[in-house]
Amino acid sequence: MKDYKYIGKNVTRIDALDKISGAATFVDDIDFGANLLYAELIESTEASALIKKIDISAAMKVKGVYKIFTGKDFHNRFGLYMKDRYVFAQERVRFVGEQIGAVVAFTPEAAKSAVALVKVEYEPLPAVLNQMDALQSDAPLLHPEVENYPRVPWFYPKAGTNIAHWRKTRKGDLGKGFAKADVILEDTYSVPRYAHCALETHIAVAKFDHSGRLTVWSSSQSPHTQRHLFAEALGLSHKDVRVITPYVGGGFGGKAGVTMEIIPAVLATQLKGYAVKLRYSREQEFTNTYQRLGVVAKIKMGATKDGRITALEHKLYWDAGAYVEYGANVVNAVGLSASGPYCIDNVSIDSVCVYTNLPPGGPYRGFGYSEMLFGLESHISRMAQQLNIDEVEFRRINAIKPGDETAYGAKMNPSGLQDCIDKAAAAINWGKKPVSEDPTKVIGQGFAAFWKAPAMPPNASSSAFLKFNEDATINLLISGMDIGQGYQTVMAQIAGEILSVPPAKIRVETPDTDRNPYEWQTVASHITWSCGNAVKNAALDAREQIFSLIHRVYHYPVDVLYLEDEAVKCKTDSAFILPLQNFVVDGIMTEDGTFKGGPVNGCGMFMPEFSSTKDNPETSQGGHPNVHYTVGAAALNLEIDKETGKMKLLKVALAIDAGKAINPDLVRGQITGGLLQGLATVLYEDMRFNEKGKLLNPNLTDYKIPTAKDVPEEIIPIIVEVPQPDGPFGARGIGEHTMLPAAPMIANAIEDALGIRIKSLPITAEKVALTFLQEKAKQ
Amino acid sequence: MKEISFMLNDEPRNVQVEPNEILLDVLRNKLGIKSPKCGCERGDCGACTVLLDGKAVRSCLILAVEVENHNITTLEGISRAKLSALQEAFMEFNSFQCGYCAPGIILAVTELLEKNPHPSLEEIKESIAGNLCRCTGYTPIFDAIMSLTGKGTK
Ligand code: FES
Ligand code: FES
């Protein structure tokens, strides 16, 4: 393997000093001076209703209130993949918490007290609170106009229904596949909604100055996408919209696209000269940002005695909420990939995006794959059991290999799934489970494999500017977000490797759309791959400029030159060593005292030119919608108290194929962090809505996320490296994937330990104990 | 409005506060101390942790008037001269990702190590159980602390 200086090394994070010294600036840390206004939202208390009247008279009398805006002031529609949302509700509300208007005041206290005094009169409409009800033919329609909404060409809404999008994938002949099967297993699995719970809540500050220029400071994964959507919704030129995104206190998909940020942006246009801040409370963070979609999945699988899956029918009905401008693409992504990481000849997938009167569903780390894999990987384990084949072996037999055909016909990329399966199984001594010393406890082993592709438009792109400074340090201008994963460091490693500059000498600033070049969004675990390629190209561009200058001045052929230790060297003349800092800005003085060269500035971009969403809507055959998949597998030993159902995670191993781990410690960081986030969705996180569609636990006391005491006893992160041919140094993304196997592997371990099968999330101790009791009573 | 005086990062400060103003808001908005973060404003997350006379407390649950004549330490105070060994260990072990929880967690552990330089893993977990981190999975935080107690390895 090639010897790299910075690639594959555990380089110290370049944002470390900022973040551990307290210097890191987040949006709310910026001071905006005396002209700052505070916005608070008037929110719907109804899940489905017509707005009859909004009385703001009492609210306007509160001292310090400046203005109050409602839907009649703004009719702008917005949305990422489908424009089905309004900035403020227009005559009708569709979920509890939906923004009806905003009070703008000189102090946050005034804004809050005024909001409490706004009286909204509603005419309640029937509400549908789950997707199965919403699919009934007599269900009330949330969006009677759905088929007319502007949208991307790969969405297929059904007029006169609550179906916003229906992705169908068909491969082979399902009937023949089932006919060949010796065993057919059919069941239904369900997964509820979840909340991201980034520690920093959503926040945005917008200013429309007297020259007509809009600047928005936001906590976002998507500065350029926000700029685009603001420009579109407000009818402004892109050059007059500037989005500045300082550090982000956690994203997990929740800060992708545009949600609440458009509110201050729109308000600002009517409040010229002021800055307007909207900072979400923890409660609003739960009730009116994206939530993870819920799903009901019906799976029918057929397999032969020797362990080959012959047919898979997978129907997924998604609770996508009141607006699906982003969430419908979650549904789409899973509709293409619900075969899981297996090569199956006969497949039928229906992934159906259903409107409900609950908060908008949207991107959440895993982008639908966690939900889909809970059912599929549970089913795989059960099928193996019925066939009397070890479930790990069953996965090995069916695991997709490079070059195999996916369900939509494109070829699978190079990937090390077999290796991941073997290594995860070996790490916990699969098949040799320990016996608990405590007779009231039993230990089970669980396993799950996973895959996921970035879901993005076929032309999603990245770009990079790289500027050398006088001392040969570098400023790298890119527009991906370091939402914690270590993106800035990895980009510095890539540039540093090519230019022989230590990453610690490279500064990567957080984005400002005025200065930093275009990036689609930091989502889809595609940024290491996509922006990494752009950075690599920018560094190569700079290197080319350097070599051509050396050639012009010293006449060495370009192909004998190389960079090492921050200097240009020559393969044919070992005496030639020219430090970069001697010339990367000032140029090189020649004999007659004139200078050649000048500042070296590299520029690079990347777009996957092979990607396409043009396919047959009835089968999904014909396109190349996914650039590649990242695969992996995980296994665990789970100890369960038979009386209380309490579970202890003894040992968890997760193996993932990173292509090339540019910074192995950061990959391991994603594994430990993602695993715990995934495990929590199984063991205790749970959004509870009442029969009126109101969330009952919108805070961190009642919606419990893991604390330091909930960490598994041992986590074994395993990195597999089968290079991605078009990845920077072979790298592909891994960030979201680390969450994916958690739910099914726990369900599978519970069955192994107690012989009970739990088919819905979450799997709380209480649920385990009760199910176990019921099963025992039956026997 | 009432004027209060207290020691902030070893410097005497005076500030006018409302009787119902929380310490977190006063530190951030009136004194320019931005490292304590707001994550919930109800005592659930620990992002607002500061040291009050050396004890880790949630500044969202404390009224500013209560700190009259007391000592408040924030991460700004700890970082001023040079990074502490704990901060260095946080860098080495990647004990943060987004970094939003880091100021609070570093202060909570600073208190722990002050009182108990050789805590067990259980004691470490206990000391930060009220500080949520959604990113790291906590393990890298434990590793950093263990490396300082002589019990850890990397
Ligand atoms: S903001 Fe104080 S505990 Fe969360
Ligand atoms: S690093 Fe993000 S919350 Fe801890």
Side-chain angles (χ1 to χ4, degrees):
Chain A
M1 197 178 282
K2 200 163 168 227
D3 211 14
Y4 295 119
K5 187 120 194 229
Y6 306 117
I7 299 294
K9 301 291 190 293
N10 297 319
V11 168
T12 305
R13 291 179 66 123
I14 62 172
D15 55 350
L17 214 41
D18 271 7
K19 287 178 175 175
I20 55 101
S21 70
T25 300
F26 299 82
V27 173
D28 204 31
D29 300 339
I30 305 173
D31 289 314
F32 288 91
N35 260 11
L36 179 63
L37 293 169
Y38 299 84
E40 281 289 332
L41 299 183
I42 304 159
E43 294 163 337
S44 171
T45 53
E46 299 289 317
S48 179
L50 296 175
I51 301 171
K52 291 299 330 155
K53 200 171 143 208
I54 305 174
D55 178 0
I56 59 166
S57 51
M60 273 311 284
K61 289 192 193 121
V62 174
K63 194 168 153 248
V65 167
Y66 183 52
K67 279 190 177 159
I68 297 180
F69 298 94
T70 64
K72 68 173 175 11
D73 301 304
F74 302 106
H75 306 285
N76 325 54
R77 247 214 309 236
F78 73 103
L80 182 64
Y81 291 107
M82 172 146 101
K83 306 219 176 306
D84 67 350
R85 295 191 78 168
Y86 286 97
V87 176
F88 292 119
Q90 306 285 306
E91 286 146 33
R92 181 174 175 182
V93 288
R94 295 182 176 85
F95 71 94
V96 175
E98 179 167 5
Q99 67 274 14
I100 290 173
V103 173
V104 180
F106 288 99
T107 65
E109 296 76 27
K112 275 190 197 118
S113 3
V115 159
L117 296 173
V118 174
K119 287 191 209 72
V120 184
E121 261 175 52
Y122 302 95
E123 181 186 320
L125 296 172
V128 269
L129 300 178
N130 81 65
Q131 66 271 45
M132 302 322 266
D133 293 345
L135 284 168
Q136 301 300 319
S137 54
D138 58 349
L141 293 187
L142 273 89
H143 293 266
E145 302 272 285
V146 61
E147 71 276 18
N148 300 327
Y149 291 156
R151 60 178 184 272
V152 291
W154 66 88
F155 279 5
Y156 307 107
K158 298 274 168 280
T161 73
N162 283 316
I163 296 173
H165 174 44
W166 187 327
R167 168 58 57 187
K168 295 178 188 170
T169 299
R170 304 283 185 266
K171 176 189 177 189
D173 182 329
L174 205 62
K176 275 195 193 142
F178 282 120
K180 269 196 231 157
D182 298 309
V183 175
I184 292 174
L185 179 67
E186 209 174 338
D187 217 327
T188 303
Y189 302 85
S190 65
V191 180
R193 291 171 163 246
Y194 289 100
H196 305 75
C197 298
L199 212 50
E200 177 204 33
T201 59
H202 280 64
I203 178 168
V205 181
K207 182 170 180 171
F208 194 58
D209 69 19
H210 291 289
S211 77
R213 170 195 218 331
L214 177 71
T215 306
V216 181
W217 292 260
S218 68
S219 174
S220 168
Q221 302 175 223
S222 314
H224 281 89
T225 291
Q226 292 206 334
R227 181 183 69 168
H228 179 59
L229 293 185
F230 295 158
E232 235 183 19
L234 294 167
L236 295 170
S237 157
H238 288 72
K239 83 167 178 28
D240 295 331
V241 181
R242 176 180 187 186
V243 176
I244 298 173
T245 46
Y247 282 123
V248 172
F252 313 111
K255 290 174 183 159
V258 168
T259 55
M260 56 79 89
E261 302 81 7
I262 197 157
I263 299 170
V266 165
L267 293 174
T269 59
Q270 298 294 312
L271 300 163
K272 254 193 178 175
Y274 289 102
V276 193
K277 179 188 277 196
L278 179 62
R279 185 182 90 175
Y280 263 8
S281 66
R282 179 54 61 185
E283 176 166 354
Q284 288 173 310
E285 191 69 16
F286 276 100
T287 53
N288 189 8
T289 58
Y290 295 130
Q291 296 176 0
R292 199 170 102 172
L293 287 70
V295 75
V296 170
K298 296 179 186 293
I299 302 179
K300 183 176 173 190
M301 183 185 281
T304 57
K305 278 196 293 251
D306 57 354
R308 277 235 64 105
I309 303 172
T310 56
L312 172 71
E313 186 181 39
H314 203 163
K315 295 186 171 153
L316 301 113
Y317 303 97
W318 298 87
D319 158 19
Y323 302 98
V324 305
E325 44 93 17
Y326 206 144
N329 210 44
V330 172
V331 173
N332 191 72
V334 172
L336 293 164
S337 300
S339 61
Y342 303 107
C343 183
I344 306 172
D345 291 337
N346 307 294
V347 180
S348 166
I349 303 167
D350 293 276
S351 190
V352 187
C353 180
V354 188
Y355 281 121
T356 59
N357 290 108
L358 290 174
Y364 181 121
R365 190 179 201 172
F367 215 68
Y369 285 72
S370 295
E371 299 89 300
M372 175 274 284
L373 286 165
F374 172 60
L376 186 72
E377 283 298 291
S378 296
H379 214 74
I380 288 274
S381 169
R382 298 171 67 194
M383 181 54 116
Q385 225 179 68
Q386 298 224 347
L387 294 167
N388 227 339
I389 298 176
D390 173 73
E391 66 174 283
V392 169
E393 185 53 30
F394 185 49
R395 289 186 176 89
R396 277 195 199 103
I397 296 171
N398 294 286
I400 194 158
K401 293 187 295 300
D404 280 352
E405 218 174 73
T406 59
Y408 50 87
K411 296 266 182 272
M412 180 62 185
N413 52 286
S415 54
L417 183 55
Q418 294 283 353
D419 207 16
C420 290
I421 292 176
D422 292 347
K423 288 192 163 129
I428 68 149
N429 248 324
W430 178 256
K432 296 188 197 76
K433 61 180 169 191
V435 178
S436 180
E437 287 151 24
D438 184 340
T440 63
K441 295 186 175 134
V442 276
I443 294 176
Q445 290 193 311
F447 201 93
F450 58 87
W451 78 342
K452 182 188 173 294
M456 51 189 217
N459 57 344
S461 62
S462 299
S463 46
F465 294 158
L466 182 153
K467 307 187 294 179
F468 265 107
N469 301 316
E470 291 86 335
D471 61 354
T473 59
I474 290 171
N475 282 67
L476 184 57
L477 279 76
I478 43 183
S479 295
M481 289 306 299
D482 203 312
I483 50 176
Q485 77 284 53
Y487 155 79
Q488 292 183 338
T489 307
V490 164
M491 294 304 122
Q493 286 177 259
I494 291 173
E497 183 69 40
I498 290 167
L499 295 169
S500 79
V501 174
K505 293 191 176 177
I506 301 177
R507 182 172 284 281
V508 185
E509 292 284 3
T510 52
D512 168 342
T513 57
D514 259 20
R515 313 266 154 83
N516 298 31
Y518 182 82
E519 169 65 56
W520 174 58
Q521 310 188 74
T522 300
V523 298
S525 303
H526 85 306
I527 201 84
T528 295
W529 169 77
S530 178
C531 193
N533 276 325
V535 167
K536 189 175 155 201
N537 290 335
L540 290 173
D541 180 30
R543 192 174 73 181
E544 228 165 86
Q545 294 173 34
I546 290 169
F547 288 169
S548 96
L549 174 64
I550 302 297
H551 170 69
R552 273 204 294 147
V553 178
Y554 301 102
H555 310 296
Y556 294 112
V558 165
D559 57 9
V560 299
L561 297 172
Y562 65 99
L563 296 175
E564 192 177 71
D565 299 333
E566 303 165 76
V568 189
K569 298 185 182 175
C570 178
K571 285 181 206 157
T572 54
D573 178 1
S574 59
F576 180 80
I577 298 176
L578 188 64
L580 291 172
Q581 59 174 328
N582 291 13
F583 70 93
V584 280
V585 170
D586 293 336
I588 301 172
M589 193 166 76
T590 57
E591 269 168 24
D592 65 357
T594 61
F595 284 79
K596 291 215 160 33
V600 176
N601 294 310
C603 168
M605 71 90 182
F606 176 74
M607 184 188 272
E609 291 187 345
F610 58 90
S611 187
S612 155
T613 52
K614 236 178 147 179
D615 58 11
N616 178 343
E618 293 307 313
T619 63
S620 294
Q621 299 295 321
H624 200 303
N626 287 330
V627 288
H628 58 254
Y629 287 86
T630 297
V631 299
L636 96 163
N637 289 340
L638 180 73
E639 186 184 67
I640 310 172
D641 185 315
K642 286 188 276 185
E643 301 285 304
T644 63
K646 221 172 156 296
M647 288 164 276
K648 196 154 143 197
L649 306 149
L650 301 177
K651 192 184 264 197
V652 190
L654 189 146
I656 190 159
D657 182 0
K660 172 75 196 171
I662 306 245
N663 186 322
D665 264 358
L666 292 180
V667 173
R668 286 187 279 269
Q670 287 303 296
I671 294 177
T672 49
L675 249 179
L676 194 62
Q677 196 174 3
L679 294 168
T681 61
V682 198
L683 300 175
Y684 33 81
E685 287 183 32
D686 191 6
M687 302 189 98
R688 302 241 166 144
F689 294 90
N690 71 7
E691 72 292 347
K692 297 221 159 92
K694 182 176 156 53
L695 182 66
L696 296 172
N697 54 343
N699 59 65
L700 296 168
T701 319
D702 303 315
Y703 184 94
K704 192 177 146 26
I705 67 169
T707 73
K709 291 172 154 176
D710 300 312
V711 175
E713 287 196 348
E714 188 184 357
I715 294 175
I716 307 171
I718 301 164
I719 300 171
V720 167
E721 294 182 317
V722 175
Q724 178 62 31
D726 61 357
F729 300 96
R732 64 173 84 78
I734 53 99
E736 293 169 272
H737 307 74
T738 54
M739 255 191 98
L740 303 178
M745 96 179 144
I746 289 195
N748 294 343
I750 292 171
E751 171 149 48
D752 183 46
L754 297 173
I756 55 171
R757 173 53 61 175
I758 296 177
K759 293 178 280 189
S760 65
L761 292 184
I763 307 181
T764 57
E766 193 189 357
K767 197 189 256 184
V768 172
L770 284 176
T771 316
F772 187 51
L773 266 181
Q774 281 160 6
E775 276 310 305
K776 269 213 306 214
K778 272 192 221 158
Q779 285 159 14
Chain B
M1 283 282 193
K2 172 183 186 301
E3 176 160 311
I4 57 164
S5 29
F6 65 104
M7 294 296 281
L8 174 57
N9 295 325
D10 295 327
E11 289 172 353
R13 297 294 293 259
N14 303 312
V15 62
Q16 297 278 338
V17 300
E18 298 286 351
N20 62 349
E21 260 185 295
I22 56 173
L23 178 61
L24 175 64
D25 287 348
V26 171
L27 288 175
R28 290 180 54 85
N29 303 336
K30 292 188 170 167
L31 296 166
I33 292 291
K34 306 286 190 177
S35 78
K37 307 293 178 205
C38 176
C40 70
E41 253 179 327
R42 47 175 276 160
D44 287 335
C45 75
C48 64
T49 301
V50 300
L51 297 180
L52 168 64
D53 300 331
K55 235 176 102 18
V57 294
R58 279 133 218 262
S59 61
C60 73
L61 293 183
I62 289 190
L63 294 175
V65 289
E66 294 177 64
V67 307
E68 167 101 62
N69 295 329
H70 287 277
N71 287 298
I72 296 294
T73 308
T74 67
L75 200 53
E76 285 85 349
I78 300 226
S79 308
R80 193 175 291 150
K82 68 178 192 28
L83 296 181
S84 68
L86 177 64
Q87 286 169 304
E88 299 276 2
F90 263 57
M91 281 178 66
E92 187 188 340
F93 287 87
N94 290 324
S95 311
F96 60 89
Q97 286 183 21
C98 77
Y100 203 75
C101 66
I105 294 187
I106 291 172
L107 290 171
V109 180
T110 300
E111 185 204 355
L112 169 76
L113 295 179
E114 195 72 33
K115 285 202 276 196
N116 177 2
H118 301 287
S120 66
L121 183 56
E122 284 319 303
E123 287 166 327
I124 292 171
K125 288 183 181 177
E126 193 58 49
S127 77
I128 58 168
N131 289 77
L132 298 176
C133 174
R134 188 55 151 171
C135 302
T136 62
Y138 301 102
T139 309
I141 299 172
F142 305 157
D143 292 346
I145 304 168
M146 296 299 271
S147 79
L148 296 175
T149 65
K151 295 175 190 165
T153 47
K154 198 195 171 179

